[in-house]
Amino acid sequence: MSEYQYYKFERLDGYLDAKARQALRAISSRAEISATTFQVYYTYSDLKAEPFELMLKYFDIGFYFADWGSIDAYIKLPLGTLPDALLGFSSGGLHVHENDEYQLLIFSLEEYYEYFDDEHAEDFFQHLAALRNGLMEGDWRLVYFMWLKEFDVDEELEEIPLIQFDFEHLNEEAKAFTTLYDIPLAWVKALAMVLKVHPSHQAKQTLFQLDTWLHSLTESEKNALLSTLFEQGQLTRQQALAMTRKESLNKSETYQYWLTSDMISPYIDQAQSLLQQEQADALAKKLALEKAEKERMLTDIYNQRERFWLQAQKQAERTCASGYDTASRYLHQLFEAYQFKADEAEFAQRFKRFVVANNSRKALLNRLSDLL
């Protein structure tokens, strides 16, 4: 059993009524429970419930980590959001649970080797709502990321539908996901290359438009929604969409084009080379920008060198540790600026006069020993 385990679940559609909060309190007396969230950590203990069962019953997104390295991210969707064909490959990192209403995806890491704490968990948790919205609107790239991660260790992986998603431009939440789950970016680039040359299905990504949806409802559907609302006291967007869904569920959709291990393998080496070149170019650009900024700063300091010398002396005259620290910082900046402008001789003369003026301040001179 882990020495530390962290759980956080959140309901995005609707709220937890008094009965639900009471049931959750019976599971954990120490949890922080609100109308939408459940959060708790354990030391030498464990949650007295199955997280996936809590998710299916109460919540829309969730996150768990243990200090032995296990991580689980939970995203609940309306039943049929993702087709069975997309979820049919065997993966230790992606688990699916379903009931009559919902489809729960669990993205798992069995061993996370980097340092991870509550702050990291909170940072990633902020992306889960956007990732869930993306899945509901037809952006299924998370599943492909997990397929690619599994392909990294199993080249005999089962095929999945080849759908035209954008794997060249990742948004902030997708980048956070690929970073946490250590998705090989060269494999992602290889998949983008596959999609450029192989026939594929168009992605059916749609944004939910409330007005359009309301106008599409029949009177009987509106009455059914109102009846459910009065009976339950609330009606989530998930439930409303599931009750009024007119199109066939994705799980019944047929696919003609498939992504296989043999299809992506020929692109791996080329993708790795391109990725390395892109990373090298990005690093060179970053270093060039940093160098230009440093040179601009040093030029500004050199142009204002008289003010810097005066400020250094004023700080030295404070005869305290913070004053000496500030004076030392000014003088080191001046040294770099004079050096950048190839005016070291002038700095040496001014610095010598400064040392003479402050010869009794040994603590200050100790801070300047590398310039003496």
Side-chain angles (χ1 to χ4, degrees):
M1 178 169 293
S2 173
E3 295 182 0
Y4 185 85
Q5 294 185 90
Y6 166 104
Y7 299 87
K8 183 173 182 179
F9 307 108
E10 183 173 347
R11 187 161 186 163
L12 300 175
D13 295 329
Y15 60 90
L16 299 166
D17 59 23
K19 183 178 179 181
R21 294 198 298 273
Q22 184 179 4
L24 291 168
R25 179 59 67 198
I27 292 171
S28 175
S29 60
R30 60 185 298 181
E32 297 179 17
I33 302 174
S34 72
T36 57
T37 61
F38 175 99
Q39 184 171 357
V40 66
Y41 70 87
Y42 291 98
T43 304
Y44 297 107
S45 185
D46 201 357
L47 186 68
K48 296 179 175 62
E50 286 289 346
F52 82 88
E53 293 178 352
L54 294 182
M55 282 295 308
L56 283 170
K57 190 170 185 179
Y58 298 114
F59 302 104
D60 298 309
I61 56 176
F63 193 79
Y64 161 84
F65 82 88
D67 63 3
W68 63 53
S70 292
I71 290 177
D72 290 326
Y74 302 84
I75 298 179
K76 187 172 74 177
L77 308 166
L79 184 65
T81 298
L82 272 65
D84 288 344
L86 195 66
L87 303 172
F89 68 95
S90 298
S91 169
L94 176 60
H95 310 279
V96 182
H97 294 273
E98 292 185 349
N99 61 17
D100 292 339
E101 294 182 87
Y102 301 114
Q103 187 176 60
L104 174 65
L105 306 184
I106 306 175
F107 301 93
S108 298
L109 280 173
E110 293 185 3
E111 295 181 339
Y112 186 74
Y113 299 105
E114 303 294 332
Y115 175 75
F116 199 86
D117 59 16
D118 291 17
E119 185 175 347
H120 293 102
E122 289 290 338
D123 288 344
F124 184 77
F125 195 90
Q126 302 306 311
H127 296 292
L128 283 175
L131 291 171
R132 174 177 176 266
N133 286 339
L135 287 165
M136 292 180 66
E137 293 168 357
D139 179 1
W140 301 339
R141 288 178 297 178
L142 297 193
V143 178
Y144 286 87
F145 292 150
M146 300 309 290
W147 188 92
L148 291 170
K149 184 176 179 65
E150 189 68 19
F151 169 71
D152 189 25
V153 296
D154 180 11
E155 294 187 357
E156 301 300 322
L157 193 61
E158 296 95 329
E159 62 185 13
I160 59 173
L162 186 59
I163 301 176
Q164 190 69 232
F165 292 111
D166 183 1
F167 290 99
E168 294 187 274
H169 306 94
L170 304 184
N171 52 27
E172 182 182 357
E173 52 270 18
K175 289 179 180 177
F177 186 92
T178 57
T179 298
L180 177 61
Y181 284 86
D182 195 24
I183 309 301
L185 294 182
W187 277 230
V188 177
K189 183 171 288 293
L191 178 52
M193 297 168 69
V194 168
L195 288 167
K196 287 182 178 179
V197 297
H198 288 271
S200 59
H201 298 275
Q202 288 300 310
K204 298 179 180 179
Q205 294 179 249
T206 58
L207 294 176
F208 176 74
Q209 301 291 338
L210 179 61
D211 291 341
T212 303
W213 174 72
L214 286 173
H215 283 108
S216 71
L217 299 180
T218 65
E219 287 300 317
S220 62
E221 288 172 332
K222 292 177 183 178
N223 291 334
L225 291 174
L226 287 173
S227 297
T228 304
L229 176 61
F230 284 118
E231 289 174 5
Q232 298 182 168
Q234 63 174 326
L235 186 65
T236 69
R237 189 178 88 168
Q238 284 184 344
Q239 291 173 310
L241 292 175
M243 290 173 61
T244 59
R245 182 171 293 173
K246 294 180 173 63
E247 71 275 14
S248 60
L249 293 177
N250 283 318
K251 62 171 56 188
S252 64
E253 189 166 349
T254 58
Y255 293 96
Q256 178 182 357
Y257 307 113
W258 296 85
L259 174 64
T260 66
S261 299
D262 290 341
M263 181 182 293
I264 196 172
S265 293
Y267 298 92
I268 296 297
D269 290 342
Q270 183 182 354
Q272 287 178 321
S273 297
L274 287 173
L275 180 63
Q276 290 172 356
Q277 184 60 52
E278 288 176 2
Q279 292 173 335
D281 291 344
L283 177 60
K285 183 177 180 180
K286 177 175 179 289
L287 294 176
L289 290 173
E290 290 176 352
K291 181 183 178 191
E293 176 60 23
K294 181 69 176 290
E295 291 178 351
R296 184 198 63 76
M297 181 190 72
L298 293 175
T299 298
D300 288 344
I301 292 172
Y302 185 80
N303 291 338
Q304 301 178 61
R305 56 192 180 278
E306 294 303 327
R307 183 176 70 83
F308 271 73
W309 284 112
L310 287 172
Q311 288 297 322
Q313 185 58 43
K314 285 182 179 180
Q315 292 297 322
E317 291 170 356
R318 290 174 58 203
T319 63
C320 61
S322 62
Y324 292 162
D325 287 340
T326 304
S328 175
R329 185 175 70 252
Y330 281 136
L331 288 164
H332 281 86
Q333 289 174 336
L334 280 166
F335 173 73
E336 282 194 84
Y338 276 88
Q339 192 177 48
F340 174 63
K341 292 297 183 178
D343 199 5
E344 293 96 332
E346 173 64 20
F347 175 83
Q349 292 179 7
R350 295 292 298 268
F351 183 65
K352 184 176 181 180
R353 293 201 296 269
F354 181 89
V355 170
V356 171
N358 296 279
N359 192 49
S360 63
R361 298 175 175 124
K362 302 302 181 184
L364 171 60
L365 297 183
N366 286 337
R367 289 168 167 82
L368 304 174
S369 59
D370 57 330
L371 299 180
L372 293 173

